[in-house]
Amino acid sequence: MAELSGRCLCGGVRFKVNGEILSAGHCHCESCRRATSSPVTTFFTVRRSDAEIGGGSLRFYASSPGVKRGFCGNCGSPMSFQTDERPNEMDFYVASLDDGLHVEIHEHWHWDERVDWLNVTDDIPKGS
């Protein structure tokens, strides 16, 4: 059972999780790279019923059909990822946690879309 909290850079958006972490991984897809301006981003997944996200500056962007990305409308920090393919789950960025950067990462997602200039040498499974 995880009790985690996090926030954006300015503190205008906060989230709390009180439940099981269902998965955690590094995403290499082009959409996540463009949404975060980074070569890879790291998510953890929880049940939507176990998560609360809010704040006066919380905004959402429909980045592709059936996908909604939450971000802070003030500082621009990406905060959450939701997809119609997993309607009962929500993803949060591990790097936005207040405390809990020890979340164990279990896999790489969209390995086939990775940038070729980042050298990844871990033994974590690499899927598409």
Side-chain angles (χ1 to χ4, degrees):
M1 177 79 80
E3 291 184 22
L4 301 170
S5 63
R7 64 175 180 85
C8 65
L9 181 62
C10 72
V13 175
R14 297 201 59 86
F15 68 86
K16 290 183 182 179
V17 172
N18 195 356
E20 177 186 2
I21 294 175
L22 304 174
S23 65
H26 302 298
C27 188
H28 299 268
C29 81
E30 181 182 1
S31 293
C32 283
R33 287 198 318 269
R34 291 189 184 279
T36 63
S37 296
S38 61
V40 63
T41 193
T42 306
F43 290 108
F44 67 98
T45 304
V46 297
R47 287 179 191 87
R48 283 193 195 192
S49 60
D50 292 340
E52 294 177 31
I53 184 170
S57 58
L58 178 62
R59 302 289 181 268
F60 290 96
Y61 175 68
S63 60
S64 55
V67 172
K68 182 168 78 167
R69 294 175 184 268
F71 66 97
C72 176
N74 186 44
C75 68
S77 296
M79 298 301 299
S80 66
F81 177 92
Q82 299 171 57
T83 175
D84 290 348
E85 292 179 10
R86 297 182 286 115
N88 298 318
E89 297 176 356
M90 180 180 280
D91 300 335
F92 291 100
Y93 294 85
V94 171
S96 66
L97 289 167
D98 293 325
D99 184 29
L101 297 178
H102 62 276
V103 171
E104 186 177 349
I105 307 307
H106 299 283
E107 58 192 312
H108 289 269
W109 299 312
H110 303 286
W111 182 250
D112 56 331
E113 295 183 46
R114 71 191 180 282
V115 295
D116 60 2
W117 47 264
L118 181 65
N119 185 23
V120 177
T121 60
D122 60 41
D123 293 329
I124 300 171
K126 295 159 178 75
S128 52

